[in-house]
Every structure is written in C-alpha cells, then in structure tokens.
C-alpha cells in the first residue's frame, strides 16, 4: 500500500477508510487565503462557471466537492439552487458557518449541506424531489484528484464518476477538473501560472512525484503560506479584511503567520482522464475540454504556456 511507505498527508491525518486529507484542519484553516481574494479571483472563474451552466439550462446543482463552500456560495449568489456535499467535516464547518451567518437570505436558508462520500454517493444523498436527477454535478478545484489509487486499477475512480453520472438527469452535465498533470509529470514541477488560485500569500509549493512499478502514482504538493502581511493588514483595516474574505469566524484570521500543509493527488493525464469519463458514462455522453477556461481545440499550448487546469464538461445523453 502506497500510504504505508510514502506519507501522502500532513501528520495527524488518519488513514482509515477513504482518507480525508483535510482532517487535521491545517489546509481548511487557510484555504480561502490560498484561493485568493474574492474580488480578484472570481471574475473569469465565475463567468465561465455560470455561463457554462446557464448555456445548458442548469438550475439545480449538486456540488460534490463543496469544501469550505466557495463555489456553492458563488452559485447561490447567482441564483442557482445548490446542494453541497463533501467528505471532510473540517472543510464543511466553514460552509455551515456561512449558511448560518446568512440564514435570513432565502437562498442560504434553503441551502442543503451534507457530508457524503463519492464511493457511496448514491446511497448518501437523494435526487431532487420529483426529478430524474440534477441538472449539473460539479467537482471542481482539482478535488477529484484527491482520490488516490492504492490498488492500481482506478476502480474507485470509475465508481465515483459513475455515481456522479447516475445522479444526473438525462441531458445533465458533469463539470469536473484537474491540474495539468501531463505538464507536472513531464517537467517535474507545477505550471508557473495559476488562474484558479491567485493568492499573494503562497510563498512556496514543492512538488514530489512517486512512481510505483514504473508508473506515476502520486503527486504530492507541500504548501507554505506566509500570512504575516494579512495579519498586519487586518489589524490596520478591519473593513478591508471583511470585503475580501468571507468564511472565517468573527471575520479574523487567528493562527500562526506561517502555515504548512501537504496534499496528495492522483496524476490524471488528459487523454486517460477523458477515457475514464467516457467509460464511467458507458460511452453515452459528449465531452468538451477547456484549458484555463479556453476551448482546447482553439489553442496550441507549448512549454510554460501550458494551462494550469483542464476543465471537462460532460453531457449525459438523453
């Protein structure tokens, strides 16, 4: 078993069952700062996400990688009906806190948040009442790659995506993404640019690759975040802090200035992941792939100009 010889998680994270890499709370505590300020992050991301869903006529959304609730909150504010699930209670507590804080807003009062596991997703949650399924399932933020492959057959990966597909109504869409692992595996490092996450507080990300029997099995990223300037800023101007970050208790960061955490991912190559998606839908789907929000068939990427993320939009056949 890979995890017995190679530590995939921050120390203190349990390894029983489906590992929750956020269980120690280290990454959860600083996740919003890693993502970046609301005003600087959301323009391209929000426009892409919302327009993609609206173009497909989507209204009822299942967010299966809710985390702290960042994407779900964005969609609620844009008028979508959202059900949000995650396997990490450490991450979900921030979403639950925001729902309570904004409970007098109808969209947030009706926001459903539950703990759920991708491998038992169809047992953990129900389809919308009176409907054949959700208009869309989203699994974004490189979340799916957290599902590692200890057995070497990708069976759990196919099961997880099949469960997502089964919760879609006919004609519904799955939006799922992953880092550009082709670039990471070929170069040994992450792409320099990252339009998903633009935090000024990320001081270092170290990349490690683990091969098992000659095949890439795990990419591990060790993050270092220095929040010294943020802490100084919040002491000087509380209004600035509130305007740019939303999920923290009492609107303040309380913790050490330097934070380190480790997260591990299965390195899905683009073509292999496209095939995995097709197989999970039994071939009854249509796929479109975007690189950093741009259609892949419209651009030629080379070297350091390669996209940081690939986004797959998979439409279930009627």
């Amino acid at each position: 078993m890979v995890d017995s010889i190679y530590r995939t998680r921050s120390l203190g994270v349990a390894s029983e069952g489906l590992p929750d890499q956020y269980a120690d709370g280290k990454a959860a505590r600083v996740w919003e700062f890693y993502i970046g300020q609301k005003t600087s992050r959301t323009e391209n991301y929000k426009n892409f996400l919302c327009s993609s869903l609206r173009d497909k006529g989507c209204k009822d959304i299942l967010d299966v990688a809710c985390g702290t609730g960042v994407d779900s909150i964005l969609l609620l504010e844009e008028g979508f009906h959202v059900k949000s699930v995650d396997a990490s209670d450490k991450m979900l507590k921030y979403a639950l806190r925001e729902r309570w804080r904004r409970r007098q807003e109808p969209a947030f009062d009706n926001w459903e948040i539950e703990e759920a596991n991708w491998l038992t997703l169809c047992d953990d949650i129900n389809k919308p009442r009176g409907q054949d399924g959700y208009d869309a399932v989203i699994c974004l933020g490189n979340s799916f790659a957290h599902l590692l492959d200890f057995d070497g057959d990708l069976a759990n990966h196919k099961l997880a995506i099949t469960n997502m597909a089964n919760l879609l109504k006919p004609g519904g869409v799955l939006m799922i993404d992953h880092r550009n692992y082709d670039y990471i595996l070929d170069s040994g490092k992450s792409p320099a640019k990252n339009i998903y996450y633009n935090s000024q507080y990320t001081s270092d990300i170290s990349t490690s690759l683990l091969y098992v029997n000659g095949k890439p099995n795990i990419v591990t990223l060790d993050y270092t975040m220095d929040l010294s300037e943020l802490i100084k800023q919040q002491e000087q101007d509380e209004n600035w802090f509130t305007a740019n970050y939303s999920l923290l208790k009492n609107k303040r960061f309380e913790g050490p200035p330097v934070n380190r955490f480790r997260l591990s991912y299965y390195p899905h190559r683009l073509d292999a992941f496209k095939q995995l998606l097709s197989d999970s839908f039994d071939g009854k789907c249509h796929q479109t792939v975007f690189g950093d929000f741009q259609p892949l068939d419209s651009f030629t990427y080379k070297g350091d100009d390669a996209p940081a993320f690939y986004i797959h939009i998979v439409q279930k056949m009627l």
Side-chain angles (χ1 to χ4, degrees), residues 179-227:
R179 284 182 179 272
N180 184 348
Y181 289 110
D182 292 80
Y183 181 92
I184 293 174
L185 293 173
D186 294 341
S187 68
K189 61 182 181 180
S190 299
K193 66 175 182 177
N194 191 336
I195 66 172
Y196 257 43
Y197 306 126
N198 58 8
S199 175
Q200 60 183 303
Y201 306 113
T202 305
S203 60
D204 184 62
I205 301 178
S206 298
T207 304
S208 303
L209 306 177
L210 176 69
Y211 285 75
V212 176
N213 295 327
K215 296 182 179 180
N217 190 273
I218 293 177
V219 169
T220 293
L221 301 181
D222 286 291
Y223 300 82
T224 301
M225 298 193 63
D226 187 348
L227 303 179

Coordinates of all heavy atoms in Angstrom, one line a residue, residues 179-227:
R179 N -5.7 19.4 -12.3 CA -4.4 20.1 -12.7 C -3.9 19.5 -14.0 O -4.2 18.4 -14.4 CB -3.4 20.0 -11.6 CG -3.6 20.9 -10.4 CD -2.5 20.7 -9.4 NE -2.7 21.6 -8.3 CZ -2.2 22.9 -8.2 NH1 -1.6 23.4 -9.2 NH2 -2.4 23.6 -7.1
N180 N -3.0 20.2 -14.6 CA -2.3 19.7 -15.8 C -1.2 18.8 -15.4 O 0.0 19.2 -15.3 CB -1.8 20.9 -16.6 CG -1.1 20.5 -18.0 OD1 -0.9 19.3 -18.2 ND2 -0.8 21.5 -18.8
Y181 N -1.6 17.6 -15.1 CA -0.6 16.6 -14.7 C 0.3 16.1 -15.8 O 1.4 15.6 -15.5 CB -1.3 15.4 -14.0 CG -2.0 15.8 -12.7 CD1 -3.3 15.9 -12.5 CD2 -1.2 16.1 -11.6 CE1 -3.9 16.2 -11.3 CE2 -1.7 16.5 -10.4 CZ -3.1 16.5 -10.3 OH -3.7 16.9 -9.1
D182 N -0.1 16.3 -17.0 CA 0.9 16.0 -18.1 C 2.1 16.9 -18.0 O 3.2 16.4 -18.1 CB 0.2 16.2 -19.5 CG -0.9 15.2 -19.8 OD1 -2.0 15.4 -19.2 OD2 -0.6 14.3 -20.5
Y183 N 1.9 18.1 -17.7 CA 3.0 19.1 -17.6 C 3.8 18.8 -16.3 O 5.0 18.7 -16.4 CB 2.4 20.5 -17.5 CG 3.5 21.6 -17.3 CD1 4.1 22.2 -18.4 CD2 4.0 21.9 -16.0 CE1 5.0 23.2 -18.3 CE2 5.0 22.9 -15.9 CZ 5.5 23.5 -17.0 OH 6.5 24.5 -16.9
I184 N 3.1 18.4 -15.2 CA 3.8 18.1 -14.0 C 4.7 16.9 -14.1 O 5.8 16.8 -13.7 CB 2.8 18.0 -12.8 CG1 2.1 19.3 -12.5 CG2 3.5 17.4 -11.6 CD1 1.0 19.2 -11.5
L185 N 4.1 15.8 -14.7 CA 4.9 14.6 -14.9 C 6.0 14.7 -15.9 O 7.1 14.2 -15.7 CB 3.9 13.5 -15.4 CG 2.9 13.0 -14.4 CD1 1.9 12.0 -15.0 CD2 3.5 12.4 -13.1
D186 N 5.8 15.5 -16.9 CA 6.9 15.7 -17.9 C 8.0 16.7 -17.5 O 9.2 16.5 -17.9 CB 6.3 16.2 -19.2 CG 5.3 15.2 -19.9 OD1 5.4 14.0 -19.5 OD2 4.5 15.6 -20.7
S187 N 7.6 17.6 -16.6 CA 8.6 18.6 -16.2 C 9.1 18.5 -14.8 O 10.1 19.0 -14.4 CB 8.1 20.0 -16.4 OG 7.0 20.3 -15.5
G188 N 8.3 17.8 -13.9 CA 8.6 17.6 -12.5 C 8.2 18.8 -11.7 O 8.6 18.9 -10.5
K189 N 7.5 19.7 -12.2 CA 7.0 20.9 -11.5 C 5.6 21.3 -11.9 O 5.2 20.9 -13.0 CB 8.0 22.1 -11.7 CG 8.1 22.5 -13.1 CD 9.2 23.6 -13.3 CE 9.3 24.1 -14.7 NZ 10.3 25.1 -14.9
S190 N 5.0 22.2 -11.1 CA 3.7 22.7 -11.5 C 3.8 23.9 -12.4 O 4.9 24.6 -12.4 CB 2.9 23.1 -10.3 OG 2.7 22.0 -9.4
P191 N 2.8 24.1 -13.3 CA 2.9 25.3 -14.2 C 3.1 26.6 -13.3 O 2.5 26.7 -12.3 CB 1.6 25.3 -14.9 CG 1.2 23.9 -14.9 CD 1.6 23.3 -13.6
A192 N 3.8 27.5 -13.9 CA 4.1 28.7 -13.1 C 2.9 29.6 -12.9 O 2.6 30.2 -11.8 CB 5.2 29.6 -13.8
K193 N 2.0 29.6 -13.9 CA 0.8 30.4 -13.8 C -0.3 29.6 -13.2 O -0.3 28.4 -13.3 CB 0.4 31.0 -15.2 CG -0.1 29.9 -16.1 CD -0.6 30.5 -17.4 CE -1.1 29.4 -18.4 NZ -1.7 30.0 -19.6
N194 N -1.3 30.3 -12.6 CA -2.4 29.6 -12.0 C -3.6 30.5 -11.9 O -3.6 31.3 -10.9 CB -2.0 29.0 -10.6 CG -3.1 28.1 -10.0 OD1 -4.2 28.1 -10.4 ND2 -2.7 27.2 -9.1
I195 N -4.5 30.5 -12.9 CA -5.6 31.4 -12.8 C -6.7 31.0 -11.9 O -7.6 31.8 -11.7 CB -6.1 31.7 -14.3 CG1 -6.7 30.4 -14.8 CG2 -5.0 32.2 -15.2 CD1 -7.4 30.6 -16.1
Y196 N -6.6 29.8 -11.4 CA -7.6 29.3 -10.5 C -7.4 30.0 -9.1 O -8.3 30.5 -8.5 CB -7.5 27.8 -10.3 CG -8.6 27.0 -11.0 CD1 -9.0 27.3 -12.3 CD2 -9.1 25.9 -10.4 CE1 -9.9 26.6 -12.9 CE2 -10.1 25.1 -11.0 CZ -10.5 25.5 -12.3 OH -11.4 24.7 -12.9
Y197 N -6.1 29.8 -8.7 CA -5.8 30.3 -7.3 C -4.7 31.4 -7.5 O -3.6 31.1 -8.0 CB -5.2 29.1 -6.5 CG -6.2 28.0 -6.4 CD1 -5.8 26.7 -6.7 CD2 -7.5 28.2 -6.0 CE1 -6.7 25.6 -6.7 CE2 -8.4 27.1 -5.9 CZ -8.0 25.8 -6.3 OH -8.9 24.8 -6.2
N198 N -4.9 32.6 -6.9 CA -4.0 33.7 -7.2 C -3.6 34.3 -5.9 O -3.3 35.5 -5.8 CB -4.6 34.7 -8.1 CG -5.9 35.3 -7.5 OD1 -6.3 35.0 -6.4 ND2 -6.6 36.0 -8.3
S199 N -3.4 33.5 -4.8 CA -3.1 34.1 -3.5 C -1.7 34.7 -3.5 O -0.8 34.1 -4.0 CB -3.2 33.0 -2.4 OG -2.8 33.6 -1.2
Q200 N -1.6 35.9 -3.0 CA -0.3 36.5 -2.8 C 0.4 36.0 -1.6 O 1.6 36.3 -1.4 CB -0.5 38.0 -2.6 CG -1.4 38.4 -1.4 CD -1.6 39.9 -1.3 OE1 -0.7 40.7 -1.2 NE2 -2.9 40.3 -1.3
Y201 N -0.2 35.1 -0.8 CA 0.4 34.6 0.4 C 1.0 33.2 0.3 O 1.6 32.7 1.2 CB -0.7 34.6 1.5 CG -1.4 35.9 1.7 CD1 -2.8 36.0 1.4 CD2 -0.7 37.0 2.2 CE1 -3.4 37.2 1.5 CE2 -1.4 38.2 2.3 CZ -2.7 38.3 2.0 OH -3.4 39.5 2.1
T202 N 0.9 32.6 -0.9 CA 1.6 31.3 -1.1 C 3.1 31.6 -1.4 O 3.4 32.1 -2.5 CB 1.0 30.6 -2.3 OG1 -0.5 30.5 -2.0 CG2 1.6 29.2 -2.4
S203 N 3.9 31.3 -0.4 CA 5.3 31.6 -0.6 C 6.1 30.4 -1.3 O 7.2 30.7 -1.8 CB 6.0 31.9 0.8 OG 5.8 30.8 1.7
D204 N 5.6 29.2 -1.2 CA 6.3 28.1 -1.8 C 5.4 26.9 -2.0 O 4.5 26.6 -1.2 CB 7.5 27.7 -1.0 CG 8.3 26.6 -1.6 OD1 8.9 26.8 -2.7 OD2 8.4 25.5 -1.1
I205 N 5.5 26.2 -3.1 CA 4.8 24.9 -3.4 C 5.9 24.0 -3.9 O 6.4 24.2 -5.0 CB 3.7 25.0 -4.4 CG1 2.6 26.0 -3.9 CG2 3.0 23.7 -4.6 CD1 1.5 26.2 -4.8
S206 N 6.2 23.0 -3.1 CA 7.2 22.0 -3.6 C 6.5 20.8 -4.1 O 5.5 20.3 -3.6 CB 8.1 21.6 -2.4 OG 8.8 22.7 -1.9
T207 N 7.0 20.2 -5.2 CA 6.4 19.1 -5.9 C 7.2 17.9 -5.8 O 8.4 17.9 -6.0 CB 6.2 19.5 -7.4 OG1 5.5 20.7 -7.6 CG2 5.5 18.4 -8.2
S208 N 6.6 16.8 -5.4 CA 7.2 15.5 -5.4 C 6.4 14.5 -6.2 O 5.2 14.5 -6.2 CB 7.3 15.0 -3.9 OG 8.0 15.9 -3.1
L209 N 7.1 13.5 -6.8 CA 6.4 12.5 -7.6 C 6.8 11.1 -7.1 O 7.9 10.9 -6.8 CB 6.9 12.6 -9.1 CG 6.7 14.0 -9.8 CD1 7.2 13.9 -11.2 CD2 5.2 14.4 -9.8
L210 N 5.8 10.3 -7.0 CA 6.0 8.9 -6.6 C 5.6 8.0 -7.7 O 4.5 8.0 -8.2 CB 5.2 8.6 -5.3 CG 5.3 7.1 -4.9 CD1 6.7 6.8 -4.4 CD2 4.3 6.8 -3.8
Y211 N 6.5 7.1 -8.1 CA 6.3 6.1 -9.1 C 6.2 4.7 -8.5 O 7.0 4.4 -7.6 CB 7.4 6.1 -10.2 CG 7.4 7.2 -11.1 CD1 7.8 8.5 -10.7 CD2 6.9 7.1 -12.4 CE1 7.7 9.6 -11.6 CE2 6.9 8.1 -13.3 CZ 7.3 9.4 -12.9 OH 7.2 10.4 -13.8
V212 N 5.2 3.9 -8.9 CA 5.0 2.6 -8.4 C 5.1 1.6 -9.6 O 4.3 1.8 -10.5 CB 3.7 2.4 -7.6 CG1 3.5 1.0 -7.2 CG2 3.7 3.3 -6.4
N213 N 6.0 0.7 -9.6 CA 6.2 -0.2 -10.7 C 6.4 0.5 -12.0 O 5.8 0.1 -13.0 CB 5.1 -1.2 -10.7 CG 5.0 -2.1 -9.5 OD1 6.1 -2.5 -9.0 ND2 3.8 -2.5 -9.1
G214 N 7.1 1.6 -12.0 CA 7.4 2.4 -13.2 C 6.3 3.3 -13.6 O 6.5 4.0 -14.7
K215 N 5.2 3.4 -12.9 CA 4.1 4.2 -13.3 C 3.9 5.3 -12.3 O 4.0 5.1 -11.1 CB 2.8 3.4 -13.5 CG 2.9 2.3 -14.6 CD 1.5 1.6 -14.7 CE 1.6 0.6 -15.8 NZ 0.3 -0.2 -15.9
P216 N 3.6 6.6 -12.8 CA 3.3 7.7 -11.8 C 2.1 7.4 -11.0 O 1.0 7.0 -11.6 CB 3.1 8.9 -12.7 CG 2.8 8.3 -14.1 CD 3.5 7.0 -14.2
N217 N 2.1 7.5 -9.7 CA 1.0 7.1 -8.8 C 0.5 8.2 -8.0 O -0.7 8.4 -7.7 CB 1.4 5.9 -8.0 CG 0.2 5.3 -7.2 OD1 -0.1 5.8 -6.1 ND2 -0.4 4.3 -7.8
I218 N 1.5 9.1 -7.5 CA 1.1 10.2 -6.6 C 1.9 11.4 -6.9 O 3.1 11.3 -7.1 CB 1.3 9.8 -5.1 CG1 0.3 8.7 -4.7 CG2 1.1 11.0 -4.2 CD1 0.4 8.3 -3.3
V219 N 1.3 12.6 -7.0 CA 1.9 13.9 -7.0 C 1.6 14.5 -5.6 O 0.4 14.6 -5.3 CB 1.4 14.8 -8.1 CG1 1.9 16.2 -7.9 CG2 1.9 14.3 -9.5
T220 N 2.6 14.9 -4.9 CA 2.4 15.5 -3.6 C 2.9 16.9 -3.7 O 4.0 17.2 -4.1 CB 3.2 14.7 -2.5 OG1 2.6 13.4 -2.3 CG2 3.1 15.5 -1.2
L221 N 2.1 17.8 -3.2 CA 2.5 19.2 -3.1 C 2.5 19.7 -1.7 O 1.6 19.5 -0.9 CB 1.4 20.1 -3.9 CG 1.2 19.8 -5.4 CD1 0.2 20.7 -6.0 CD2 2.5 19.8 -6.1
D222 N 3.7 20.2 -1.3 CA 3.9 20.8 0.0 C 3.8 22.3 -0.1 O 4.6 23.0 -0.7 CB 5.3 20.4 0.6 CG 5.3 18.9 1.0 OD1 4.6 18.6 2.0 OD2 6.0 18.1 0.3
Y223 N 2.7 22.8 0.6 CA 2.4 24.3 0.5 C 3.0 25.0 1.7 O 2.9 24.5 2.9 CB 0.9 24.5 0.5 CG 0.2 23.8 -0.7 CD1 -0.2 22.5 -0.6 CD2 -0.2 24.6 -1.8 CE1 -0.9 21.9 -1.7 CE2 -0.9 24.0 -2.8 CZ -1.2 22.6 -2.8 OH -1.9 22.0 -3.8
T224 N 3.5 26.2 1.5 CA 3.9 27.1 2.6 C 3.2 28.4 2.3 O 3.4 29.0 1.2 CB 5.4 27.3 2.6 OG1 6.1 26.0 2.8 CG2 5.8 28.2 3.8
M225 N 2.5 28.9 3.3 CA 1.8 30.1 3.2 C 2.2 31.1 4.3 O 2.2 30.7 5.5 CB 0.3 29.9 3.2 CG -0.2 29.1 2.1 SD -2.0 29.1 2.0 CE -2.3 30.8 1.6
D226 N 2.6 32.3 3.9 CA 3.0 33.3 4.9 C 2.0 34.4 5.0 O 1.8 35.1 4.0 CB 4.4 33.9 4.5 CG 5.0 34.8 5.5 OD1 4.2 35.2 6.5 OD2 6.2 35.1 5.4
L227 N 1.3 34.4 6.1 CA 0.1 35.3 6.2 C 0.5 36.5 7.1 O -0.4 37.2 7.6 CB -1.0 34.6 6.9 CG -1.6 33.4 6.1 CD1 -2.7 32.7 6.9 CD2 -2.0 33.7 4.7

